[in-house]
Amino acid sequence: MSAPAPARGKTPARRPVPTRPDDTVRRTPAARRSRRAEAAFGFGMIGLAGAAILLFTIGPILASFGLSFFAWDVITPPRFVGLDNYAAIGSDQRVVHSFGVTAVLAFSIVALQVAIGLFLALLVDQRRRASTKAIFRTVFYLPLLASTAAVSIFMTYMFNERFGVVNYYLTLLGGSGVPWLTSDAGAVVTIVFVAVWQSVGFTFVLFVAALAGLPRDVMEAAEIDGAGPVRSLLRIKLPLISPTVFFACVIGLINAMQLFDQAFIMTKGGPGTATTTITMVIYQTAFQNLQFGYGSAISMVLFAALIALTGLQFTLSRRLVFYS
Amino acid sequence: MPLPPLSRRSLLRAGGVGLALAATTTLASCAPPSDPKALKIAFFGDQSGADELRARLEEPVRALDPTIRLEINATPGTDWNEFFAKLLTQIAAGSRPDIVSVATEGVQLMAGRGLAAPLDEYVTRDLAELQDYFDDVSPALVEAMMYDGSLFLLPLDYNAGNMYYSPVLFERAGLDLPAPDWTVDDFYDAGRAMARIPDINAYDWVVRLWGSWTSFLYANDGNLLTEGRAPGGQWLWDAAYAGNPAAAGRGGGWAWGDPVANSPAAVEALEFMIELRKEGIAPSPDVGGGQTSQALFAAGRVGMSVGGGFWAGGLHNAGMAPGTFDVQYFPRWKSQRHLFGTAGYSILETSDKKDLAWEVVKRLTFPDAFDVLFPGNVTTPARQSLSTAQRYETTGPEHWDVFSSTLTEFPETAPIPAPIYFNALSTALNQRTTEAIATGDARAALDGLQIDLETAAGAVG
C-alpha cells in the first residue's frame, strides 16, 4: 500500500523507514561482516563484467572514435586531421555503395529470418509431443552453433559453379549450372541464403518460446468464438508476440548490418563490389590500405547508422508492438 | 577489532581503483614483452611449417649465438596481401619480429614505408662470402628485391608464370603437346578442342596479381602500371655482377609509375579471358591463391593452367604421377614475356638484433638451406645450381628446366607490379576482374580499376 500524499503547501512528512525482518540480525557484527562480504562479492562480480565491457567494448569504441580524427598508417605517428575523415566519407563512392549493398543484404536477411523463423515456430508449436518439439528446436538451432567461417567455406564449395553439389543436382534435374558466386544476383542471393540458413534458428527459438507463453484462456476463447487458424494467427498470436518480433528485428538488423564473414570468405566482396559490405570496406581501409583513422571514421558512421536504425525501430514499435 | 562498515561509496571507489589496475595489468599483458634473448621470425604459412623450420634452423642459429632462442611465428593467409595485412596489424600492436618472410608483393610496401632495413652495408661487407650466391642467382631476381637503389632482400626462391598442361587431356583432344614457341592462338585452339571433352575445364585460372589474366597482359606487352627503374644500385651491380651481361642496364629496383590499367593491351587481355569464358574454355575464376584450381588439375579435370615451380611438388603431393602433367613456357602473344614473383627474408628496421638477423638471413642463402626452407619441391630455387634433374626426378614435370630457363630465355620477363600500395592494388584488381567476368565488359571494369589505382597511388603520395 502506498503512503498517503501530503497536503498541498505543507512540508511532506519524512517517510517512515520500513522495518525489515532481518533488522535484528543486522545488528550483530558477524552478520554485518557477512553482509559486507556478500556485497563485496557482488560488486566484485559486477566489476569483472564491467571491466570486460570497458576493456573490450567501450574502450575500443572510444579509441576508435578518437582515432577517427587522425590520419594513422600504423607505421608513422598519428596526425590530427579534425573532421577530414568524416568529410571524405560522403564523396567516397566505395563507402556509399557498400552502405547500399549492406542495406539490401541486411533487410533481406532480417525479413527472411523473421518470416521463416516464425513459420517454422508455428509449425513446431502445433506439434503436441514435447520430444518432437525438442528435436525440431535442436535441429533448427544447430547451424547457429557452427562457426560462420566453417559454414562459409563449405557453402563456397556447395555453391561452386563448376563442381558444387547444388549445380550438380540442378543439372541432373535438367537445368543448367547457375553462377551462384560469380554473378551479381547469384552472389547476393547465395549470401542471403547462407546467412539466413545459419541464423534462422535464433528467431525460431525466440518465436517458439513466445508462442509457448501465449495465454491459454485467450487462445481458447478465440477458438470458441470461431476464429480459424489464419485469423487466430493474424489477430491474436501475432499481436501478442509482437514484442518478440520487434526484438528479433532489432537484434537481427544489428547483426546483419555487420555482415562480414560470409561475404569475405565466399565472394571476397565480388563479383566487382556486388557483395562488398560496409564492414569489408572498413577492413580493407584500415587493415589493407593502412588508413586506420579513415577506417575508424567509417566505423563511427556505421555505429551511428545502427543507433539511428534502432531508434527508428523503437519509434515504429510504439505503433506496431502490442504490450499486454 | 571489527572492521569499520564499508559504505557503498567507498566500495565503488575501491572498485574503480581495482578496475583501473585490472585494465592497466591487462593492457600491459597484451603488449608483448621485449625479449632480448629471442630472435623472432614472422613466417607466411601454418604453424606446423614454422615449427618444422624452427627445428631445422635452431642448431645453426645456436651456432651463431648460443644464448639466443629462435622463435618462428606463423601467419596463415590465402595470399600475400592477407599475410601483409595481418603482419602490419601485428606490428601496429607492438609485436615486431626481427625477420619477416617477404615476397615481391611486399618488398616496396615494406621498404617504402621504412619497415624493412636495407642490406647494402652488410652485403658490401660480406660480398666475398656472398659472391658464390650472386654468381648463382639471376640479377633479374635481385633487382626485384631492390627499392630506391638499396637491396632489401636476398631472393631465395621464385616462380615465373609458366603454363602447366595435362598431356592426357591433350591426347584425348587429339592435340600435339605445346612447343616452347607456341602462341596464344595455339593456346586458344587447344582450349577449344579440349572444351569438347565433358566435365573438364580446358583452361583454369584464378583472380590474383601473380599468374592471373596478368600473365596474358604481360605476354601482350602490357602492364597495370608504367614500368620504370629507380636510379642507383650500381654499388651492387659493379661489385657482385661485374662483367655479367644479364646485369647490364639494371638500376636500383623497379619504379612503378602511373597506372595504365585501361590501356589497349590490358583491355585486350581481359577481353580475351571473357571470351574464353563465353566459349566454355575457362570457367568463372575464383579469387585467391589457386588451391582449388590446383586440386582440380590434380584430379585430371583441367587441361591447362598458369603455374610456377610451386605446382610441381603440389601436384605430386596430390597424387599425380610423373607423366600425367607437364609444363611449358607461357604462350607468345605480342611477346613471350613472362611475369614472376620472388621471395626471401627481410630484416625489420626496428630489430635490435640486426647483426644476428643478418647472419641468419645470410645463412638462408647457403645451398643446403633451400630444402630446409622449402621442403617438398614447392617452389623454384633462386640458385640456378639447385635446379637439377635430380630435384624433379620424383615429382616431375618432365620439362622442369622450363622453370629455371624462363629468365634466361626471355630476359624481358619482369616482376609483378607491386608498388608501395600493393594491398589496395590487389583488392582493386580482384574486384574489377570479377566485375569484368560477371558483366562481360572489360573496358568499363578496367576504367574503374584505373580510377581505383589512381586513388590508391594518390593516397600514398
Side-chain angles (χ1 to χ4, degrees), chain A residues 29 32-33 36 39-40 43 47-48 50-51 54-56 72-75 157 160-163 179 182-184 264 267-273 276 283-284 287-292, chain B residues 2-6 8 11-12 19 22-23 26-27 78 81-82 85 88-89 91-92 96 113 115 201 204 277 283-287 292 296 301 423-424 427 431-432 434-435 438 459:
Chain A
R32 236 183 274 135
R33 273 199 301 275
R36 275 211 307 273
F43 278 112
L48 278 178
L54 190 69
L55 280 177
F56 300 114
W72 188 43
D73 66 356
V74 181
I75 298 149
Y157 285 107
N160 189 288
E161 184 185 350
R162 291 173 279 168
F163 55 83
T182 50
S183 65
D184 287 15
F264 184 74
T267 61
K268 291 274 190 285
T273 51
T276 303
Y283 169 76
Q284 287 165 357
F287 295 98
Q288 293 196 311
N289 300 351
L290 301 181
Q291 296 172 292
F292 279 84
Chain B
L3 289 167
L6 188 62
R8 187 167 296 181
L11 187 62
L12 283 173
L19 200 64
T26 312
L27 286 174
T78 55
N81 55 337
E82 266 191 48
L88 290 168
T89 311
I91 290 173
R96 291 174 185 260
R113 289 186 181 272
L115 288 169
N201 297 322
D204 201 8
R277 188 190 185 284
S284 292
D286 293 330
V287 177
T292 304
L296 283 173
R301 292 183 61 180
N423 275 340
T427 303
Q431 285 181 340
R432 296 301 181 178
T434 53
E435 177 190 325

Side-chain angles (χ1 to χ4, degrees), chain B residues 163-170 177-178 294 297-300 302-305 307-328 376-377 392-400 403:
Chain B
M163 185 71 81
Y164 276 72
Y165 64 91
S166 162
V168 179
L169 291 177
F170 264 73
L177 299 182
Q294 201 176 12
F297 192 97
V302 172
M304 297 175 282
S305 189
F310 64 99
W311 264 45
L315 296 179
H316 171 72
N317 292 337
M320 288 198 93
T324 56
F325 68 95
D326 208 345
V327 67
Q328 189 50 274
N377 227 12
Y392 295 96
E393 200 170 23
T394 317
T395 61
E398 187 185 340
H399 292 96
W400 57 269
F403 303 136

Side-chain angles (χ1 to χ4, degrees), chain B residues 252-303:
Chain B
W254 285 82
W256 300 110
D258 294 337
V260 284
N262 56 354
S263 66
V267 174
E268 191 179 16
L270 192 51
E271 277 176 346
F272 183 63
M273 308 311 289
I274 293 168
E275 191 60 29
L276 294 180
R277 188 190 185 284
K278 281 183 183 163
E279 295 202 23
I281 296 170
S284 292
D286 293 330
V287 177
Q291 289 86 348
T292 304
S293 187
Q294 201 176 12
L296 283 173
F297 192 97
R301 292 183 61 180
V302 172

Side-chain angles (χ1 to χ4, degrees), chain B residues 113-277:
Chain B
R113 289 186 181 272
L115 288 169
L119 306 178
D120 305 5
E121 285 180 21
Y122 289 119
V123 169
T124 305
R125 187 190 73 190
D126 295 346
L127 189 58
E129 207 179 339
L130 284 166
Q131 193 57 57
D132 161 63
Y133 165 81
F134 287 118
D135 288 346
D136 209 10
V137 174
S138 164
L141 302 179
V142 175
E143 190 184 31
M145 296 303 202
M146 297 178 87
Y147 180 74
D148 247 358
S150 288
L151 180 67
F152 285 86
L153 292 99
L154 297 171
L156 301 175
D157 73 309
Y158 74 101
N159 283 288
N162 302 127
M163 185 71 81
Y164 276 72
Y165 64 91
S166 162
V168 179
L169 291 177
F170 264 73
E171 194 182 329
R172 274 180 70 187
L175 296 162
D176 293 332
L177 299 182
D181 60 347
W182 67 321
T183 64
V184 165
D185 288 340
D186 297 333
F187 162 82
Y188 177 70
D189 292 341
R192 287 188 69 178
M194 267 191 279
R196 287 193 276 271
I197 302 172
D199 290 333
I200 67 130
N201 297 322
Y203 176 68
D204 201 8
W205 62 295
V206 290
V207 179
R208 62 189 302 208
L209 185 55
W210 186 96
S212 179
W213 68 275
T214 45
S215 275
F216 287 92
L217 175 61
Y218 269 50
N220 204 25
D221 273 349
N223 208 326
L224 297 174
L225 306 173
T226 310
E227 296 175 10
R229 281 196 159 91
Q234 293 315 310
W235 64 270
L236 179 68
W237 306 124
D238 291 347
Y241 286 94
N244 186 332
R250 302 210 180 265
W254 285 82
W256 300 110
D258 294 337
V260 284
N262 56 354
S263 66
V267 174
E268 191 179 16
L270 192 51
E271 277 176 346
F272 183 63
M273 308 311 289
I274 293 168
E275 191 60 29
L276 294 180
R277 188 190 185 284

